[in-house]
Amino acid sequence: MAYLAPIHRPSSVRNALKIRLLSPDEESLVVAKANRLEIYSLLNDGLVLAHTRALYGKVTMLERLQFAQSPTEYLFVGTDRYMFFLLSWDHELQQLRTQKTYVDQADKTSRDSQTQDGCHVDPTKQYMALQLFDGVITILPLLSKGKKKTASEALSLGESVPARITEFFVRSSGFLYPREGIDARPRLAILYEDNHQRICLSLKNLDYTAGGAGDPGSASLDDVTARDDLELGASHLIPVPAPAYGLLVLSESSITYFDDIHGEALIEPLKEPAIFVTWTAIDAQRWLLADDYGRLYFLMLILEDHEVKGWKLDLLGIASRASTLVYLDNGLVFVGSHQGDSQLVRIQEDGAEILQSLANVAPILDFTIMDMGNRSGETHANEYSSGQARIVTGSGAFQDGSLRSIRSGVGMEDQGVLGEMAHISDLFSLRSSGNMAQSDTLVAAFVNETRVFQFTTSYEVEEREEFAGMALTEGTIHAANVRGNRLLQVTSSRVRILDLDSGMVTAEWSPQDARSITVASANEDHLVISSGGSELIALDLTQDLQVVTRRNFAKEGQIACLHVPTIRQDICIAGFWQSGAVAIIRLSTLETLQRVVITEDTVNVPRSLILTQLIANEPPTLLIAMANGEVVTFSLDAVGNILSRRKATILGTQGATFKILPRKNGLSNVFAICEHSSLIYGSEGRIVYAAVTAEEASCVCAFDSEAYPGAVAIATESDLRIALVDTERTTHVQTLKVNETVRRVAYSSKVKAFGIGTIARKLEGNYEAVHSSYKLCDEVLFKELDRIKFENEELVESCIRADLYDGAGEFIERFVVGTAYMDAPNQDSVRGRIFVIAVTPERKLKIVARINVMGACRALGVIDGNIVAALVKTVVVYSLNGPDLTKLVTYRTSTAPIALSISGNQIAIADLMKSVSVVTYSRPTHAGGSHSLVEVARHFATAWSTAVCHVDDHTWLESDAEGNLMVLAQNVAGVSADDRRRLDVVGEMRLGEMVNKIQKVDVEESGNAVVVPKAFMGTVDGSIYLFALIAPSKQDLLMRLQQAIASRVQSPGNVPFNTYRAFKNSVREAEEPFRFVDGELIEKFLDCPGTMQEGICEEVGMVDVEEMRTMVESLRRIH
């Protein structure tokens, strides 16, 4: 059974509009990103996200509606499952409210529109026209029923009525503005291509007759005017309002004004050809246009006595290639893009200025996993987090093409590096004066010395050779400011209190018998140290280090860790080596108030602990880092000093070290330093563990200084730096602009570089030239190191990093690249090539082998040290023999292989039309024998495959072009040979986005894992998903939990969850997802009110709500 959770949500923008939704006095920007709506407010500093909401369906259209009885406008939304609904803003609940829903407008007898779905409201606000099917325009009357008590009661949309048209391939359409004194019927203009490939314009009047009770009425569209002499490149219609009226036709080489009353056309050629892709109106005479190359144009009509005499077109500048344009106000326009960053642009006299960019990684054409957090020794797969993996995608297209490094976790932004310093053991931040509000001094402790760095407000830093009398020739165990403008320093041999003004030692204390100090911790009034490993000594900082009390814990064993909390002045907490116990100790007497054995394992002992306030209005949280990488948490009752609500989480394989990072309102975050550094923080009443991008941190401390407010100091194995760390987990995207389509990406950890196949598009004269190349880029700076240019009309189709058998008994690392020619002269000519490329010690690319092939090389793989190539109708295995590639064996596919997944000696082949087949590769068993590819299993169904991946024994994950996911399993226990050759569907779900790439991940399983991650998926809309398999013991629980939550949690439009996620293609439509669990829905359990959580748990048969929360929290942590 399968589990799916989003790592990076969709970022592609295809639909957006301006609407007075949140307030009658404020216009907001609504942006649709696949199945999510985002509402932005326009403030002085740009667009600010005001609200976001997920929908049960991919948004295909947006429209604004205004009703007289409502002060705000309504949002009409259409989805890919032909679900349509009207939304308004609920000011009391501060969320979207569903006003009306059209359950299903699908016409089973009509063909889906071959162009993008359209939605138009006629200027008289009486009708809405939906373009959903070829030959049909769906009419929705907009009604307003008298005076009602509330706006919601006054609102009414009539029932939909189909109107047949003879035009099929519609390029553009829209209602014309009505003229006074002329036919008042709404007039619809349609730009279309006829059966003779002529571009035609048709004007139609709408006749609508309202029906009676139970009768939706009728509608017809009657021809008024038609023209069939338009330019072949005509693409868009722009209705022109008063005073000019009529419409504009945008073409590649001209713009035409058409007078709909007199039938006259004014045609003027463009100075340079342009492929217009979208437009937005500024006012009645001016528009903004965008073309396929990202150029923005300003179009203005020239009028004389309300008659159009011509037009003027000016180039404003370059932005992302627009999918939609929205003119906001005061010269600001929103450029929504599918293949580049969406942008807020200001239109000025001298051009266009980009004010703000919204990151977009769509479309993800390919991606590679740069690292998996070096988890080779990990044994606890249930605590795997996608934040430990860095995913590098090939995103965008042509001038918007880029490499994107994506990592989910807590971001860290370097502010500066103090210098190269190795073996820093600890860091402390100090104030050089007791009356300062912020720190200005950083202490770096080493084994045998201490170094001090002082900062100024002008970002200057000075290393001090002397500071307040500190002993800099010794290693510092603890340092802090204390009351009375004094400084505390603890070394392994002594404790000193220093006067900050004079630098004089005001008090000093050393252990008896020259024993060393191993651990120390302090609050404002007391210092507790461990001397000799087993004795605790409490010193009074207000009484010149007078010994308050001492106690020997020899029976417990050596003291492993110690913490004196600042939020509880009366206790300290200690962890012990031999017993594996943690004790709450009264500070004044050192008597044990409570003792808890964390583990009976004598090797797995506490290594670090901290008591802090993570969650507001909750008891303080005690965090204990164990030697095996586990973090155990307790809630500490302030009255009885009782530890309760124990939870355990695994961060890595080694013990973590904790450091407190203060937040506002008395709360704190905890930085856990280990091989997978994490930030531990409170959010929505629970503790969250998030991976931090600081991979090599060895020690950390808060450094809130005037020069670097809210910063932290981080020491690595080689340097010391100042950085800003986010307070919560987000998805971080780093961008390298390539300005070419990044078609394929491969990564070599050995070379520390990426191999990327790119496609560049340029205008040479009035002709479009396309060139392709293969580049080597550095993994850190993404700097281009070298490139290989391919022939004209030859494009990169595939590339991999491979360990190939060189024929001499060795495996060598190589990049393998497959290409295709765009236009081959005849069927017998070369249609593609395969290259084997080496990287020289100078980090240059060198072609070591190549071969011409008779089909485009769509996919590549490696099996047993040999190259597997997916060509047209054929899969071929090649061996590398010096400079030659030798064909070993071939396999004939049904149509065209589109993707490969290799596991062991099996190759899963995703066919363009015929789903998946599995073949087994075998070497010769005797001298003179031949290699073989034998089909062992097949999915006997029609599916337009896009990707395939091996996810388990005899199990594969397949995606199709219609946005579905299928889990296929070979029936190896079948009775007959035919049964055993069959790939059965053991899970299916509609994702709603087309998947371009599925990449397998190897995470070792553990017995208590709820789900086991198996693969990442990248989609056309910029989403990245984590696919996992559910442990057999949790399958029934998660299925029942999904059903219980779906029945209680509604999405805008009241679309049923089962309908949204049910499999659907052109052949078959299911009623619900099959053996698939939607992780995003499961995680909504944490957002449900307490009473609803109790009801859900009761329905699924789990009494303990806290146990359910813990399980769902663990599921959220994996992505």
Side-chain angles (χ1 to χ4, degrees):
M1 186 176 291
Y3 184 88
L4 191 73
I7 295 174
H8 184 272
R9 302 191 187 280
S11 54
S12 163
V13 176
R14 287 190 173 96
N15 296 279
L17 56 74
K18 180 176 63 174
I19 181 173
R20 297 185 185 275
L21 180 67
L22 303 180
S23 168
D25 303 322
E26 175 191 354
E27 286 192 319
S28 303
L29 175 69
V30 176
V31 175
K33 297 181 178 180
N35 70 326
R36 303 188 70 84
L37 287 178
E38 295 182 352
I39 304 173
Y40 291 87
S41 296
L42 181 60
L43 303 179
N44 293 332
D45 53 352
L47 295 171
V48 177
L49 183 63
H51 183 73
T52 182
R53 189 70 187 272
L55 308 179
Y56 286 166
K58 183 177 181 180
V59 178
T60 57
M61 61 180 68
L62 295 174
E63 189 55 79
R64 58 191 287 182
L65 299 177
Q66 176 69 63
F67 293 86
Q69 294 83 359
S70 173
T72 58
E73 294 176 313
Y74 290 78
L75 179 66
F76 181 83
V77 181
T79 72
D80 61 337
R81 296 295 293 262
Y82 301 108
M83 302 288 183
F84 303 93
F85 41 90
L86 203 59
L87 303 177
S88 64
W89 182 252
D90 191 318
H91 294 277
E92 293 183 1
L93 299 178
Q94 290 294 295
Q95 64 182 15
L96 293 171
R97 175 177 54 199
T98 303
Q99 293 292 147
K100 185 166 184 177
T101 299
Y102 288 85
V103 177
D104 189 355
Q105 294 298 307
D107 188 338
K108 308 298 183 183
T109 62
S110 299
R111 186 178 68 181
D112 291 351
S113 174
Q114 301 303 294
T115 56
Q116 186 176 357
D117 292 348
C119 176
H120 308 289
V121 176
D122 88 289
T124 64
K125 312 296 183 184
Q126 298 181 69
Y127 304 99
M128 177 187 292
L130 305 181
Q131 180 187 329
L132 307 175
F133 308 99
D134 284 344
V136 178
I137 299 292
T138 303
I139 304 298
L140 284 161
L142 309 181
L143 308 176
S144 184
K145 296 182 179 178
K147 296 182 179 180
K148 298 289 181 177
K149 295 181 180 180
T150 66
S152 60
E153 291 173 342
L155 173 65
S156 178
L157 280 170
E159 293 299 320
S160 61
V161 180
R164 298 287 175 178
I165 60 175
T166 58
E167 297 81 7
F168 280 83
F169 195 84
V170 176
R171 293 189 175 185
S172 182
S173 59
F175 281 106
L176 300 186
Y177 288 88
R179 303 175 188 243
E180 295 183 5
I182 303 179
D183 194 342
R185 290 178 296 175
R187 179 167 293 181
L188 184 68
I190 299 176
L191 180 69
Y192 68 99
E193 181 179 339
D194 67 9
N195 294 332
H196 302 289
Q197 297 184 339
R198 295 177 300 183
I199 308 304
C200 308
L201 175 65
S202 175
L203 303 185
K204 299 175 180 292
N205 283 340
L206 170 63
D207 286 310
Y208 174 80
T209 303
D215 181 10
S218 61
S220 63
L221 289 166
D222 303 322
D223 288 337
V224 177
T225 306
R227 296 180 66 102
D228 60 2
D229 57 349
L230 274 68
E231 181 186 325
L232 288 176
S235 58
H236 290 78
L237 299 179
I238 301 180
V240 179
Y245 297 104
L247 59 90
L248 292 169
V249 182
L250 304 182
S251 304
E252 291 183 7
S253 60
S254 66
I255 295 179
T256 302
Y257 169 75
F258 182 74
D259 187 331
D260 61 308
I261 298 300
H262 303 97
E264 298 176 352
L266 175 63
I267 305 174
E268 290 191 15
L270 299 174
K271 294 180 180 179
E272 293 183 355
I275 304 174
F276 296 111
V277 292
T278 187
W279 59 274
T280 186
I282 299 177
D283 54 30
Q285 288 182 240
R286 299 179 298 173
W287 295 266
L288 290 173
L289 313 180
D291 74 0
D292 197 40
Y293 284 81
R295 294 177 293 197
L296 295 177
Y297 298 88
F298 179 82
L299 173 65
M300 182 176 67
L301 287 182
I302 300 174
L303 303 181
E304 290 184 8
D305 297 328
H306 303 324
E307 292 187 5
V308 177
K309 296 301 182 181
W311 47 261
K312 182 180 179 182
L313 185 70
D314 294 320
L315 177 64
L316 295 174
I318 303 293
S320 297
R321 195 270 192 193
S323 299
T324 181
L325 291 176
V326 180
Y327 183 75
L328 299 174
D329 204 358
N330 298 324
L332 296 178
V333 61
F334 175 73
V335 180
S337 180
H338 166 64
Q339 64 186 43
D341 291 342
S342 295
Q343 297 164 333
L344 180 65
V345 177
R346 183 187 301 279
I347 305 302
Q348 303 175 133
E349 291 184 2
D350 56 348
E353 177 189 4
I354 298 174
L355 302 179
Q356 183 180 0
S357 292
L358 305 180
N360 172 32
V361 302
I364 298 176
L365 303 178
D366 194 12
F367 71 88
T368 185
I369 302 173
M370 185 173 173
D371 64 72
M372 288 292 294
N374 300 320
R375 298 179 60 88
S376 57
E378 179 61 81
T379 58
H380 298 277
N382 56 309
E383 299 303 336
Y384 163 82
S385 168
S386 66
Q388 296 155 8
R390 186 185 310 173
I391 299 172
V392 177
T393 67
S395 299
F398 300 120
Q399 68 271 12
D400 297 313
S402 62
L403 278 177
R404 307 281 178 129
S405 175
I406 302 172
R407 192 163 193 173
S408 177
V410 176
M412 185 186 74
E413 182 182 353
D414 288 343
Q415 301 296 297
V417 178
L418 272 68
E420 295 184 359
M421 289 174 241
H423 310 301
I424 297 176
S425 59
D426 211 341
L427 293 171
F428 308 95
S429 61
L430 302 174
R431 303 185 303 274
S432 61
S433 174
N435 56 9
M436 296 180 65
Q438 294 176 295
S439 302
D440 67 340
T441 304
L442 183 63
V443 175
F446 298 81
V447 176
N448 297 315
E449 66 171 334
T450 299
R451 297 173 67 176
V452 178
F453 301 90
Q454 195 162 13
F455 292 74
T456 66
T457 57
S458 58
Y459 303 97
E460 296 180 356
V461 59
E462 175 188 4
E463 182 172 2
R464 298 289 299 273
E465 295 182 358
E466 187 279 334
F467 179 75
M470 289 185 68
L472 302 184
T473 57
E474 301 178 52
T476 298
I477 296 177
H478 184 76
N481 290 94
V482 294
R483 299 180 192 273
N485 196 32
R486 297 179 302 163
L487 172 66
L488 170 67
Q489 181 187 18
V490 181
T491 68
S492 60
S493 61
R494 54 183 170 168
V495 179
R496 308 171 81 204
I497 294 182
L498 311 164
D499 184 80
L500 283 173
D501 292 332
S502 64
M504 300 294 292
V505 178
T506 62
E508 184 170 342
W509 180 90
S510 299
Q512 298 174 352
D513 302 327
R515 289 186 295 179
S516 63
I517 300 173
T518 55
V519 186
S521 182
N523 57 26
E524 292 183 344
D525 297 326
H526 292 89
L527 167 69
V528 179
I529 64 169
S530 171
S531 174
S534 61
E535 184 181 26
L536 282 186
I537 303 171
L539 304 176
D540 193 333
L541 299 178
T542 63
Q543 299 295 325
D544 293 335
L545 298 178
Q546 179 179 341
V547 176
V548 177
T549 185
R550 61 203 312 155
R551 179 184 172 188
N552 195 299
F553 288 84
K555 293 183 179 180
E556 290 285 359
Q558 296 287 318
I559 296 171
C561 48
L562 177 68
H563 176 59
V564 180
T566 57
I567 61 173
R568 287 287 305 274
Q569 299 287 327
D570 60 332
I571 63 171
C572 67
I573 308 166
F576 300 93
W577 282 102
Q578 281 80 357
S579 62
V582 168
I584 308 297
I585 301 170
R586 190 185 304 278
L587 195 56
S588 59
T589 62
L590 295 183
E591 65 174 305
T592 302
L593 300 175
Q594 185 181 8
R595 177 180 178 274
V596 176
V597 177
I598 307 299
T599 177
E600 299 292 343
D601 186 356
T602 57
V603 177
N604 183 25
V605 297
R607 298 299 301 270
S608 180
L609 48 79
I610 268 180
L611 179 71
T612 190
Q613 191 74 42
L614 290 178
I615 305 172
N617 303 318
E618 291 283 344
T621 301
L622 174 63
L623 297 99
I624 306 166
M626 306 300 289
N628 66 345
E630 187 178 40
V631 174
V632 180
T633 63
F634 291 93
S635 292
L636 177 63
D637 178 28
V639 178
N641 293 312
I642 297 175
L643 296 174
S644 61
R645 298 171 64 182
R646 170 174 173 159
K647 293 183 181 180
T649 302
I650 297 175
L651 290 186
T653 60
Q654 302 171 8
T657 301
F658 293 141
K659 279 298 183 78
I660 293 178
L661 303 181
R663 297 180 67 178
K664 297 179 181 178
N665 303 322
L667 301 180
S668 298
N669 289 348
V670 174
F671 199 108
I673 306 162
C674 56
E675 74 266 37
H676 307 302
S677 294
S678 299
L679 189 75
I680 306 172
Y681 62 93
S683 177
E684 300 175 355
R686 64 184 186 276
I687 299 174
V688 179
Y689 298 78
V692 181
T693 56
E695 299 173 352
E696 301 176 352
S698 58
C699 49
V700 171
C701 78
F703 188 65
D704 181 22
S705 62
E706 188 173 350
Y708 300 101
V712 297
I714 298 180
T716 68
E717 294 181 357
S718 58
D719 60 33
L720 175 61
R721 61 187 63 195
I722 305 298
L724 292 176
V725 177
D726 293 343
T727 57
E728 294 186 353
R729 174 177 179 164
T730 55
T731 299
H732 301 272
V733 179
Q734 293 178 321
T735 303
L736 167 69
K737 293 293 291 183
V738 179
N739 299 320
E740 300 176 16
T741 300
V742 181
R743 183 74 176 88
R744 290 288 181 255
V745 182
Y747 173 69
S748 168
S749 58
K750 181 180 178 181
V751 180
K752 298 185 183 302
F754 294 97
I756 60 174
T758 65
I759 301 173
R761 180 183 64 172
K762 295 181 181 179
L763 280 177
E764 298 177 354
N766 290 333
Y767 294 93
E768 185 177 85
V770 178
H771 305 282
S772 188
S773 58
Y774 193 72
K775 301 180 180 180
L776 186 69
C777 297
D778 180 76
E779 70 169 8
V780 177
L781 302 176
F782 289 110
K783 177 184 178 182
E784 182 179 324
L785 303 173
D786 195 19
R787 76 159 63 191
I788 295 174
K789 293 184 178 180
F790 298 116
E791 297 178 356
N792 291 337
E793 304 292 311
E794 184 180 18
L795 304 182
V796 170
E797 285 286 347
S798 55
C799 83
I800 60 170
R801 184 216 65 87
D803 291 319
L804 301 179
Y805 184 70
D806 64 355
E810 298 291 336
F811 282 90
I812 53 176
E813 184 182 63
R814 294 289 185 262
F815 287 113
V816 184
V817 180
T819 69
Y821 286 97
M822 289 172 42
D823 187 19
N826 56 70
Q827 293 296 325
D828 296 328
S829 63
V830 174
R831 304 186 68 87
R833 294 192 290 176
I834 298 175
F835 298 84
V836 179
I837 301 173
V839 180
T840 67
E842 296 78 23
R843 304 186 84 182
K844 299 295 183 181
L845 296 174
K846 178 183 179 182
I847 298 175
V848 296
R850 74 181 79 190
I851 188 173
N852 296 334
V853 292
M854 303 303 294
C857 184
R858 303 295 186 191
L860 289 165
V862 178
I863 190 167
D864 200 16
N866 297 318
I867 298 172
V868 183
L871 310 179
V872 175
K873 292 191 176 182
T874 309
V875 173
V876 185
V877 179
Y878 294 96
S879 66
L880 177 64
N881 298 300
D884 300 319
L885 288 172
T886 304
K887 183 187 295 185
L888 300 178
V889 63
T890 63
Y891 166 78
R892 186 80 169 179
T893 60
S894 299
T895 56
I898 205 73
L900 301 172
S901 178
I902 299 172
S903 177
N905 67 335
Q906 286 191 330
I907 306 172
I909 304 165
D911 191 86
L912 180 64
M913 296 175 60
K914 295 297 183 181
S915 195
V916 172
S917 59
V918 180
V919 299
T920 298
Y921 167 74
S922 300
R923 282 182 170 274
T925 57
H926 58 277
S930 60
H931 300 258
S932 66
L933 285 174
V934 179
E935 182 179 306
V936 295
R938 175 181 288 273
H939 181 217
F940 294 94
T942 298
W944 292 77
S945 307
T946 59
V948 66
C949 180
H950 177 266
V951 293
D952 203 6
D953 293 340
H954 310 291
T955 306
W956 292 266
L957 173 65
E958 178 192 9
S959 61
D960 69 16
E962 296 176 87
N964 299 297
L965 297 176
M966 291 175 285
V967 180
L968 306 174
Q970 184 180 359
N971 186 11
V972 292
V975 177
S976 65
D978 287 342
D979 291 338
R980 292 190 291 274
R981 288 188 63 246
R982 190 177 300 276
L983 288 177
D984 296 325
V985 177
V986 296
E988 63 180 17
M989 183 185 79
R990 181 175 177 83
L991 181 62
E993 304 173 52
M994 190 177 83
V995 175
N996 270 338
K997 175 73 176 288
I998 307 176
Q999 178 71 51
K1000 184 177 181 178
V1001 295
D1002 292 316
V1003 178
E1004 189 175 343
E1005 301 181 29
S1006 69
N1008 59 347
V1010 179
V1011 298
V1012 180
K1014 291 295 183 180
F1016 290 130
M1017 301 187 301
T1019 74
V1020 169
D1021 289 288
S1023 300
I1024 298 178
Y1025 291 91
L1026 176 69
F1027 173 86
L1029 294 179
I1030 305 173
S1033 62
K1034 301 294 184 182
Q1035 292 178 359
D1036 181 62
L1037 174 62
L1038 287 181
M1039 287 297 293
R1040 286 186 284 114
L1041 179 60
Q1042 176 173 259
Q1043 183 179 356
I1045 297 175
S1047 64
R1048 291 170 171 82
V1049 178
Q1050 297 294 324
S1051 91
N1054 301 325
V1055 179
F1057 172 79
N1058 284 342
T1059 301
Y1060 165 52
R1061 286 304 191 192
F1063 180 93
K1064 180 181 181 294
N1065 63 14
S1066 57
V1067 178
R1068 177 174 64 89
E1069 184 172 353
E1071 295 182 354
E1072 61 183 4
F1074 174 56
R1075 293 176 60 81
F1076 237 110
V1077 174
D1078 186 338
E1080 190 171 14
L1081 178 66
I1082 293 295
E1083 291 168 18
K1084 289 182 179 179
F1085 174 84
L1086 299 174
D1087 302 324
C1088 295
T1091 54
M1092 185 180 292
Q1093 290 183 348
E1094 293 174 359
I1096 292 172
C1097 291
E1098 182 178 354
E1099 181 176 336
V1100 301
M1102 180 179 285
V1103 179
D1104 192 346
V1105 177
E1106 184 61 31
E1107 184 181 349
M1108 180 69 79
R1109 286 198 198 101
T1110 301
M1111 184 190 71
V1112 178
E1113 287 172 0
S1114 69
L1115 292 173
R1116 174 173 283 189
R1117 280 196 297 271
I1118 71 172
H1119 69 89

